[in-house]
Amino acid sequence: MSAHSSEVKVFVRTRPTACFAQDLIEYLPDKQTVNVRHRRESRKGVVNNQMSSWSFKLDGVMHNMSQEEVYQSVAHSVVLRALEGYNGTIMCFGQTGAGKTYTMTGATESYQQRGIIPRALQEVFYEVEQRVDHTFSVFLSFLEIYNETLVDLLASIKRGRAVQGGALTIVEDPGGGVSVKGLTLHPVHNEEEAFNLLFEGEMNRIIGEHALNKNSSRSHCIFTIHIESRSRTLSDAPYVTSKLNLVDLAGSERLSKTGSEGQVQREALYINRSLSFLEQAIIALTDRRREHVPFRQSKLTHSLKDSLGGNCNTVLVANIYGEAAQIEETLSTLRFATRMKCVRTQPSINEHIDPALQVRRLQKEIQLLKQELSLHDTLANRAVVPNESLSDRQVDEIKSQVQRYLAGTLDEIMIVSIRQIQEMFTQFKKAVQEQEQKVKEQLSQKYSLVEKSENSIQSSTAAAAKEPVGAVGSVGEVESGFGLGLAAPSQKHTQASSPNKSKGKKIKENSRKDVAQTSGPAEGVTVNQRETDALTPNCEPEDLEAPPVDQEEHKKKIDSPPCKFEAFEDFKLGRGSEINRILKENKSVLLERMDQLHKLTQAINSCKRDIDHMSSELQLCREQRQSQGQFVGEKGEPVLEEAELILLVGLREKKDQYRQSYEELLSTKAEVRYCQHLVDQCRIRLLTEFESWYNESFLLPEEVQTIFSEGGPIRPGLIPVDKALNLEADEQEQFQRLRTELLAEGPSAVSFYNAHNRTVQRRQQANSSQS
Ligand code: ADP
Ligand code: MG
């Protein structure tokens, strides 16, 4: 389908007259230019003799031209292009009597003077006969628009088929075209049949004129030749259709000039209106900035919508009556013609593809491609690949292959066909989506839990910080110093875990890291992380992959001692499990007490605020009372207002409440301190026992162990572990100091001496039992 922009072609044709206004109208030799001179109208009584002149350049001036010449200049090419599938429109415009009907239809009684319509019909059938490689179907319709009413001038002939039944209405086709619903289309096979219809229509027009007392020059007539052409040789080639509109417009003379009355005036009104709408539509069409063109304002413009601004080859013949008396109408017609010349259309072939034909063509193409494919398979020595869509069973098989491949039980998937590859991608996509969903769920579960525990820790810390009287230990303090000699990279532990769980583990480790970041220095991160988990009942580290207890023995046998971090985890699950459990329990009690303390603090603060508020109100009442004069009782004692009394009573109650809560706060603080003490003790015991166990199990050579077991030297000033566990508060301080001293000797000093002490102690116990 080709489309290029094209201007509307505009010609001027003059009706021959003996009184041609030679001094006013001048045709230049280029046969395209008309110059018009005109004396300006006298307005408001002022006579204006000034002459004005206009020059109109058009596509051709047809002066004293025969009907044949006019046809050749105006219509010939449009008709030929209509046979190729382009729509065409030829319109005659001008005042009544200027020769529009003569140009369009001609004299029906004279063959020589026949107009464009009969000549076009002749040419169409001549071409139909010449173009033997195509079959043509030709239909005719004849529409009259009279006083905004659509009339089918060929309705009297029964042979035609209507474009849908019912009253005549203009409808817009989805492709942008316009058709008249209800208008009959008459098939014609030769020019004679076509002439019959043309004359029948003309006759109906004249009969209507008499019966309704209407004037033929006051109606617009659209004679349309509908052409459909199909290739005889290419059965699956697209077919083309076109419409050739031959339009005889009503007279364009102005109302004032005709002096019409009654019905004639009404007719003239309709004509003027529709022509003025035609002019408006054309002005809008020439203005490229305008998006809307008012085609629907009149039946004429609406029915010509696709002929004026559409995909049509459009030609206008401006008929003028070159007498001096008609000079104003001539000027107005030429102005309209010039405007029309600026309208651009986009002529394009109306190609259609028969859907059934297209299906057949595509089927044939698929068949050919399949053959081509199997030929390639044969040449490449490949098994013939099925091209049909996959069955449910095949899809299931691909799904299972993909799952096995992802699980690692299938090494590779054989590529069989494009369809199989596509299905494989679909299954991979599904697997990824499912995995994403799972991870998302795990993540949201984990994050909400971690945040919760984090919040609870923070709120406890905040509560403790806000306490009004004397700070008690916070969780932060509880954690401090707990990383003693145990900092091991958390990643190492992660690496030690099984690969299958690696993804979930990473997330959990990350979340733990978040907690660690809020809880203290990096040095103690690892242990703090562990302990934070322990503090959070829901975050029990089921994923820490602690080695089972039965591995303890195995570990002892290895030459190099295990990392302390891992050993500590093992210890907590094995030998130290009891003390670890007690530590956890103590911690949870501590947390609970701290929470209680926090709530109490809040309650006291709120109570304090109430007391302050009531006191200030009371003060205000007192001041008011004093300023207004003091009421006194019989004995001279001051009398209080009711509001003041209520405030006083309330204040007293609040103060009582405050005192009570404060006492409670003090006792809870004591409890917190005690719990914290217990937690600290448990922690020390866990650590010291771990150190002893570690040394015993991995570090001390057998002979050293034996020496110690036989009663080696005890470092002076060292307090045995078990004793340390029973120390009172002041002794605890001393113990801590000693431990710090030992640490200064070297990282293994504490462990060493602990082990030593333990051995000594065991010996002592054995001795005492023997004795
Ligand atoms: P319109 O349709 O514009 O009202 P017509 O076509 O009816 O005008 O013409 C009015 C009269 O002028 C008719 O009798 C017609 O035969 C005659 N006439 C118009 N143009 C020509 C022409 N070019 N040559 C000969 N006669 C003409
Ligand atoms: Mg006419």
Side-chain angles (χ1 to χ4, degrees):
M1 212 183 280
S2 64
H4 58 273
S5 183
S6 144
E7 276 178 1
V8 170
K9 294 255 178 300
V10 180
F11 297 89
V12 179
R13 186 180 198 194
T14 45
R15 172 184 163 176
T17 168
C19 323
F20 183 70
Q22 280 175 337
D23 52 336
L24 300 180
I25 301 170
E26 181 193 7
Y27 298 119
L28 296 193
D30 65 357
K31 296 206 171 168
Q32 286 187 317
T33 311
V34 185
N35 290 336
V36 179
R37 279 153 52 81
H38 177 45
R39 195 180 304 278
R40 277 195 180 157
E41 277 180 7
S42 55
R43 281 189 194 143
K44 294 178 187 170
V46 180
V47 181
N48 185 349
N49 285 329
Q50 201 183 340
M51 292 293 283
S52 298
S53 58
W54 290 267
S55 184
F56 302 95
K57 183 152 185 181
L58 305 148
D59 292 291
V61 176
M62 301 181 291
H63 187 51
N64 292 331
M65 242 190 207
S66 70
Q67 293 285 65
E68 174 58 19
E69 286 170 315
V70 168
Y71 176 80
Q72 288 302 330
S73 310
V74 171
H76 174 66
S77 64
V78 180
V79 173
L80 289 185
R81 298 201 84 192
L83 285 157
E84 286 163 15
Y86 291 93
N87 289 342
T89 296
I90 301 168
M91 287 192 292
C92 285
F93 177 86
Q95 69 179 113
T96 303
K100 300 182 294 294
T101 307
Y102 181 81
T103 303
M104 198 48 76
T105 312
T108 47
E109 63 284 347
S110 159
Y111 182 72
Q112 279 303 316
Q113 292 181 44
R114 68 196 187 283
I116 289 172
I117 296 176
R119 286 172 197 271
L121 288 169
Q122 282 179 305
E123 179 138 45
V124 165
F125 285 106
Y126 173 77
E127 287 295 325
V128 166
E129 270 179 32
Q130 298 300 306
R131 302 182 185 203
V132 286
D133 51 345
H134 280 78
T135 56
F136 288 87
S137 309
V138 182
F139 295 84
L140 301 181
S141 65
F142 206 167
L143 177 73
E144 184 182 34
I145 303 172
Y146 175 71
N147 287 4
E148 284 300 276
T149 307
L150 304 174
V151 181
D152 183 353
L153 288 175
L154 300 179
S156 56
I157 298 161
K158 298 290 170 229
R159 283 186 303 135
R161 68 157 206 248
V163 184
Q164 300 170 301
L168 298 189
T169 38
I170 299 162
V171 288
E172 295 190 25
D173 307 328
V178 173
S179 58
V180 179
K181 194 178 126 196
L183 184 67
T184 47
L185 295 186
H186 296 266
V188 280
H189 306 93
N190 51 52
E191 56 182 69
E192 196 180 321
E193 278 180 22
F195 289 155
N196 283 340
L197 288 172
L198 170 65
F199 298 146
E200 176 77 19
E202 284 294 334
M203 185 58 72
N204 284 337
R205 197 178 173 190
I206 293 160
I207 292 167
E209 228 173 273
H210 287 292
L212 300 168
N213 191 25
K214 69 180 186 188
N215 188 327
S216 66
S217 67
R218 302 199 176 278
S219 66
H220 311 290
C221 281
I222 306 174
F223 185 87
T224 309
I225 308 172
H226 306 257
I227 305 167
E228 188 181 300
S229 146
R230 291 171 189 265
S231 169
R232 280 185 205 272
T233 48
L234 304 166
S235 59
D236 52 357
Y239 67 96
V240 295
T241 57
S242 61
K243 271 191 318 184
L244 182 57
N245 290 316
L246 304 162
V247 188
D248 184 357
L249 292 168
S252 63
E253 62 277 6
R254 287 175 301 168
L255 202 59
S256 58
K257 182 122 189 210
T258 55
S260 321
E261 281 178 7
Q263 182 182 347
V264 179
Q265 191 182 29
R266 204 173 65 246
E267 287 170 352
L269 260 172
Y270 277 119
I271 296 154
N272 277 350
R273 259 174 56 192
S274 61
L275 287 174
S276 120
F277 288 140
L278 177 65
E279 199 156 355
Q280 281 177 28
I282 283 160
I283 290 167
L285 280 166
T286 53
D287 184 350
R288 289 187 193 156
R289 287 164 303 173
R290 284 277 290 269
E291 280 180 12
H292 174 70
V293 179
F295 286 117
R296 282 162 160 259
Q297 288 187 121
S298 73
K299 295 275 193 304
L300 175 72
T301 47
H302 199 187
S303 61
L304 292 177
K305 184 183 171 189
D306 58 349
S307 306
L308 295 172
N311 64 342
C312 194
N313 291 303
T314 304
V315 180
L316 178 80
V317 179
N319 292 95
I320 55 169
Y321 197 7
E323 293 187 356
Q326 311 299 331
I327 198 73
E328 279 185 23
E329 296 303 341
T330 299
L331 263 176
S332 135
T333 303
L334 289 170
R335 282 194 198 112
F336 177 83
T338 319
R339 264 187 225 122
M340 190 70 183
K341 198 169 153 35
C342 301
V343 175
R344 298 195 75 84
T345 59
Q346 302 272 329
S348 62
I349 295 180
N350 301 300
E351 262 185 353
H352 309 272
I353 297 170
D354 196 334
L357 240 155
Q358 198 174 13
V359 169
R360 274 207 301 278
R361 215 180 64 197
L362 290 173
Q363 279 174 336
K364 203 172 160 186
E365 201 170 313
I366 288 170
Q367 194 54 40
L368 274 171
L369 288 171
K370 279 183 178 176
Q371 284 171 6
E372 180 95 14
L373 209 59
S374 73
L375 188 73
H376 276 279
D377 286 337
T378 314
L379 290 174
N381 239 349
R382 274 192 310 227
V384 175
V385 174
N387 295 305
E388 278 67 43
S389 51
L390 299 170
S391 67
D392 287 352
R393 201 181 55 76
Q394 284 170 315
V395 171
D396 283 348
E397 173 56 26
I398 293 169
K399 186 181 175 183
S400 127
Q401 281 180 341
V402 167
Q403 281 171 350
R404 278 182 286 147
Y405 182 76
L406 287 173
T409 53
L410 183 68
D411 286 341
E412 50 184 44
I413 302 174
M414 285 282 288
I415 301 296
V416 179
S417 67
I418 295 290
R419 281 183 199 275
Q420 178 234 12
I421 295 171
Q422 281 170 338
E423 185 55 40
M424 224 149 66
F425 275 117
T426 310
Q427 292 302 334
F428 271 118
K429 191 175 177 184
K430 277 185 190 166
V432 169
Q433 281 168 345
E434 276 168 24
Q435 193 64 30
E436 266 178 7
Q437 190 56 34
K438 249 187 230 167
V439 169
K440 230 183 255 173
E441 278 165 17
Q442 281 178 357
L443 206 62
S444 63
Q445 213 178 357
K446 191 74 190 172
Y447 267 111
S448 65
L449 285 171
V450 170
E451 274 165 22
K452 228 165 143 186
S453 65
E454 206 174 350
N455 287 344
S456 71
I457 290 166
Q458 279 172 351
S459 65
S460 306
T461 315
K466 269 195 216 159
E467 283 173 277
V469 197
V472 292
S474 66
V475 171
E477 289 164 6
V478 170
E479 294 299 324
S480 67
F482 191 47
L484 182 69
L486 284 169
S490 59
Q491 291 91 330
K492 190 169 179 187
H493 187 73
T494 311
Q495 279 161 9
S497 58
S498 97
N500 287 350
K501 287 190 178 178
S502 61
K503 201 163 185 182
K505 185 170 297 300
K506 209 164 198 172
I507 290 152
K508 287 173 181 177
E509 287 294 336
N510 283 344
S511 58
R512 209 171 286 121
K513 209 175 214 170
D514 291 343
V515 176
Q517 278 165 0
T518 63
S519 56
E523 195 195 353
V525 163
T526 317
V527 177
N528 276 345
Q529 283 169 358
R530 299 265 164 205
E531 294 307 319
T532 313
D533 282 345
L535 279 167
T536 316
N538 290 340
C539 290
E540 196 60 35
E542 79 287 337
D543 55 319
L544 289 184
E545 298 293 315
V549 180
D550 59 358
Q551 285 185 11
E552 281 183 34
E553 296 307 313
H554 169 72
K555 284 220 165 150
K556 283 182 188 175
K557 289 173 192 164
I558 57 171
D559 291 333
S560 57
C563 128
K564 267 196 170 178
F565 175 80
E566 282 178 25
F568 185 61
E569 293 308 311
D570 292 347
F571 176 74
K572 278 201 291 187
L573 289 165
R575 178 87 69 84
S577 64
E578 183 59 10
I579 185 74
N580 191 40
R581 186 185 62 75
I582 295 167
L583 173 67
K584 277 187 187 175
E585 270 176 20
N586 285 348
K587 273 180 186 170
S588 75
V589 174
L590 174 65
L591 270 183
E592 189 211 302
R593 290 290 184 277
M594 286 180 81
D595 192 37
Q596 205 179 332
L597 191 66
H598 174 63
K599 281 179 187 151
L600 267 172
T601 312
Q602 280 186 328
I604 286 175
N605 282 344
S606 142
C607 197
K608 180 77 174 61
R609 276 195 296 276
D610 288 348
I611 288 169
D612 290 345
H613 179 71
M614 285 164 106
S615 302
S616 65
E617 277 203 336
L618 207 60
Q619 182 61 27
L620 214 75
C621 282
R622 272 191 200 129
E623 279 169 15
Q624 266 181 1
R625 184 154 46 82
Q626 277 162 8
S627 66
Q628 286 165 2
Q630 178 70 62
F631 280 101
V632 285
E634 281 175 10
K635 294 173 188 167
E637 80 281 14
V639 177
L640 301 179
E641 295 258 353
E642 198 188 355
E644 203 180 335
L645 199 65
I646 291 169
L647 270 173
L648 256 177
V649 174
L651 188 63
R652 201 165 296 157
E653 279 172 9
K654 277 280 166 205
K655 281 186 173 168
D656 284 342
Q657 196 186 328
Y658 182 84
R659 260 190 294 276
Q660 219 174 321
S661 302
Y662 190 67
E663 271 163 28
E664 221 177 311
L665 180 85
L666 288 179
S667 71
T668 313
K669 267 186 187 173
E671 273 181 37
V672 166
R673 264 198 296 270
Y674 180 68
C675 288
Q676 203 166 356
H677 174 74
L678 285 178
V679 166
D680 286 346
Q681 275 202 319
C682 286
R683 186 178 294 131
I684 291 163
R685 182 165 180 165
L686 182 70
L687 287 171
T688 47
E689 283 203 5
F690 165 69
E691 291 293 344
S692 309
W693 171 80
Y694 188 82
N695 290 334
E696 277 169 32
S697 310
F698 308 111
L699 298 179
L700 293 180
E702 262 178 53
E703 60 275 21
V704 176
Q705 283 185 25
T706 319
I707 295 167
F708 280 139
S709 66
E710 285 166 9
I714 296 178
R715 192 176 185 270
L718 254 184
I719 302 154
V721 174
D722 287 351
K723 199 181 172 212
L725 293 173
N726 299 322
L727 288 176
E728 287 306 318
D730 52 339
E731 289 174 317
Q732 277 288 340
E733 264 182 46
Q734 199 189 346
F735 174 70
Q736 289 293 345
R737 217 177 33 251
L738 277 170
R739 218 171 98 207
T740 318
E741 279 171 30
L742 290 174
L743 266 176
E745 286 190 36
S748 300
V750 174
S751 321
F752 178 85
Y753 291 120
N754 279 340
H756 167 71
N757 288 342
R758 183 171 286 277
T759 318
V760 171
Q761 199 181 14
R762 263 204 307 271
R763 231 190 91 191
Q764 281 172 350
Q765 274 171 0
N767 288 345
S768 64
S769 63
Q770 274 174 17
S771 62

